[in-house]
Amino acid sequence: MGTGTQLMEKVLFKIAKQWIAGNTIDDALVSAKNAYQLGRHAIINKLGEYHTSKKQISVAMEEYKKIIDSFRKWKIRGAISVKPTQIGLSISQKECYHNFEKIIQKACNAHVFVWLDMESAEHTDETIEIYSTFFSKYERLGIALQANLKRTEDDLNDLLQMGAKIRLVKGAYREKASTSFKSKEDVDKNYLKLMKMLFKKGNEFAIATHDEKMIRKAENLSKKYPKKFEFQMLKGIREELKPKLIKKKLVVSDYIPYGINWLPYSFRRIKERKRNILLLGSSLIQSQRV
């Protein structure tokens, strides 16, 4: 690894620390406890994706089970968020089903909510199939949908008909122009359209955004359509806004990633948020001066 790459990684890690709890489960639980003491809920996600080794998958499984057990011990009201490709989808759908069932059984016994993360568009159909199968058995289960995909309006309609619990995100994966909205304006327009659908037809959902304009629109919609919903934001981002929302009796959850696989995740976050790119630029300039 060259000096330039090491420097870039060092700078990136400085930035990433604002939204990543640390390397271990205990780091994540400390963040979750801090969130809980501030009146927020916590959603823990182990970083890592596209696992093809049984050992990697087994480690991810054991850690999610340990987190589920730890919530009660740590006196935290928490949820977990699982990526299908970290528990076997990169091997086969059957492998993922088999492993996800074990997590669901553990969560069911502990009354812990489970979110199924959405990954790149090539996995959307499989992820929705997995969700549909398990939601019929375990209702404390939600799925993320991405506003940058053109198909999402149809997916949302189908999922709402079965009473699904939805987390609406803008989407941070690079997708083909034929299947996704490319401009910020188009993604925002679709996000707002989908958010209105959730308030009109949804029962329980999450508005996962740091965009203050969208948050305000959600607040206004909630007055017209009182529903059970929450705002979800990354740990360490919009810290000035979260207490204001809680003061208005709105539910806020911190999404708390942890683990050593922070680099691909952080690149997506930086790509997603211009403010982080500016922050990265100023950090690089300062590091050159040192």
Side-chain angles (χ1 to χ4, degrees):
M1 195 188 282
T3 315
T5 311
Q6 284 175 327
L7 175 65
M8 175 65 94
E9 205 161 304
K10 201 174 167 185
V11 169
L12 270 172
F13 186 66
K14 271 186 184 176
I15 298 168
K17 274 200 304 192
Q18 72 176 314
W19 56 67
I20 290 167
N23 289 338
T24 68
I25 288 175
D26 277 5
D27 291 332
L29 289 166
V30 166
S31 276
K33 188 134 194 172
N34 291 342
Y36 199 54
Q37 284 165 351
L38 291 166
R40 307 171 196 167
H41 297 175
I43 303 163
I44 295 180
N45 166 251
K46 177 175 165 56
L47 292 167
E49 52 203 52
Y50 297 102
H51 293 338
T52 50
S53 114
K54 293 275 177 118
K55 190 183 175 185
Q56 277 181 313
I57 292 164
S58 174
V59 167
M61 297 274 301
E62 289 313 307
E63 292 205 15
Y64 278 123
K65 288 182 193 172
K66 190 177 173 187
I67 293 163
I68 289 166
D69 280 339
S70 300
F71 282 140
R72 191 169 287 170
K73 290 177 200 162
W74 283 60
K75 297 184 172 66
I76 299 165
R77 183 174 175 178
I80 59 167
S81 199
V82 181
K83 283 185 169 57
T85 66
Q86 69 184 167
I87 56 160
L89 191 60
S90 295
I91 296 173
S92 70
Q93 203 166 350
K94 188 181 172 187
E95 180 76 18
C96 187
Y97 271 84
H98 175 68
N99 292 325
F100 197 50
E101 187 154 33
K102 290 178 184 171
I103 291 172
I104 290 294
Q105 281 167 351
K106 189 85 173 168
C108 191
N109 294 335
H111 306 289
V112 166
F113 197 97
V114 179
W115 285 100
L116 191 59
D117 271 346
M118 189 61 78
E119 299 176 87
S120 57
E122 65 193 293
H123 300 303
T124 306
D125 283 325
E126 292 168 309
T127 305
I128 289 172
E129 281 168 27
I130 293 163
Y131 179 78
S132 303
T133 301
F134 287 100
F135 184 63
S136 62
K137 303 173 189 175
Y138 184 60
E139 62 170 29
R140 293 175 66 78
L141 180 64
I143 183 171
L145 289 181
Q146 298 162 321
N148 66 337
L149 296 182
K150 292 175 182 175
R151 61 173 288 169
T152 300
E153 185 178 348
D154 290 335
D155 291 335
L156 181 56
N157 263 320
D158 292 344
L159 285 160
L160 286 177
Q161 279 174 19
M162 58 181 261
K165 296 170 172 69
I166 307 289
R167 172 205 287 155
L168 184 60
V169 302
K170 287 192 179 178
Y173 290 86
R174 185 176 289 177
E175 305 291 0
K176 294 173 189 165
S178 57
T179 57
S180 67
F181 298 106
K182 287 297 176 186
S183 73
K184 183 185 184 300
E185 291 72 26
D186 285 343
V187 174
D188 284 358
K189 194 175 162 187
N190 200 42
Y191 193 96
L192 183 56
K193 185 183 190 179
L194 300 170
M195 188 162 71
K196 283 176 179 171
M197 285 170 64
L198 283 170
F199 275 101
K200 285 176 185 174
K201 302 178 191 175
N203 298 311
E204 193 176 333
F205 54 90
I207 302 301
T209 181
H210 306 110
D211 184 335
E212 199 159 348
K213 190 174 72 177
M214 292 299 166
I215 291 165
R216 295 284 166 257
K217 286 185 187 295
E219 280 188 75
N220 292 334
L221 283 164
S222 72
K223 288 166 191 164
K224 194 176 176 185
Y225 306 99
K227 295 286 171 80
K228 187 180 179 186
F229 83 103
E230 62 181 50
F231 289 109
Q232 292 180 359
M233 297 180 224
L234 279 169
K235 163 201 152 354
I237 294 189
R238 301 316 310 253
E239 292 299 298
E240 79 297 342
L241 183 60
K242 291 170 185 174
K244 292 174 187 171
L245 294 170
I246 291 164
K247 210 171 176 181
K248 292 177 185 176
K249 304 280 189 290
L250 292 160
V251 180
V252 177
S253 286
D254 272 6
Y255 186 91
I256 301 167
Y258 79 94
I260 55 170
N261 297 96
W262 57 270
L263 200 56
Y265 179 85
S266 296
F267 271 127
R268 286 201 296 273
R269 296 286 75 80
I270 287 165
K271 178 176 165 278
E272 199 178 32
R273 286 178 57 75
K274 284 180 187 169
R275 193 168 66 82
N276 291 338
I277 294 168
L278 295 171
L279 187 56
L280 173 62
S282 64
S283 300
L284 276 169
I285 291 160
Q286 278 164 31
S287 66
Q288 297 295 330
R289 287 175 181 162
V290 173

